[in-house]
Amino acid sequence: VVEPGAIRTPLWQKTTENWENPYKGTDLGERFARFVQMFAERGARDGLPASRAASVIFKALVTDQPRPRYTIMKYPVRDFLFPRLLPDSRVDSMIRAQLR
């Protein structure tokens, strides 16, 4: 299994282009818009080059004994390990703090 995090592609620009907030006008509208904006900015800024993902995929394909899982992330501890080790309530509060 190859588990890519953010990969630097034009996708991040398209995330907010011609996007209509399905929660606009509700209590969640502003928070959801901030989440989408933060998500797009972080992906564009922290995304790894596509060549990095390609090299990991190639390695997995040609290795005689591949690992069951390959995680491709710039910050694997923050984005992969912590959310699996910390209680859900702690992860939720960290996300809530980022979204103000």
Side-chain angles (χ1 to χ4, degrees):
V1 175
V2 176
E3 299 174 315
I7 305 298
R8 201 174 312 126
T9 69
L11 168 73
W12 302 109
Q13 283 176 241
K14 295 176 184 179
T15 303
T16 55
E17 287 177 3
N18 300 317
W19 174 76
E20 188 165 328
N21 185 343
Y23 300 103
K24 187 176 182 177
T26 72
D27 293 343
L28 296 175
E30 188 178 323
R31 286 186 177 152
F32 189 70
R34 280 197 308 258
F35 169 77
V36 170
Q37 188 65 38
M38 181 187 75
F39 183 74
E41 288 172 1
R42 186 175 286 176
R45 181 186 66 234
D46 294 341
L48 295 171
S51 60
R52 171 88 183 270
S55 68
V56 171
I57 293 167
F58 180 77
K59 179 182 174 182
L61 289 171
V62 300
T63 300
D64 288 337
Q65 293 186 6
R67 300 185 330 232
R69 191 170 306 279
Y70 292 85
T71 303
I72 309 168
M73 295 181 179
K74 188 171 186 177
Y75 305 109
V77 173
R78 180 191 76 188
D79 295 338
F80 184 78
L81 186 62
F82 280 171
R84 283 157 181 77
L85 296 177
L86 296 173
D88 289 343
S89 60
R90 180 68 179 127
V91 174
D92 290 347
S93 68
M94 291 166 62
I95 293 169
R96 198 171 20 258
Q98 288 180 343
L99 296 176
R100 293 169 273 151

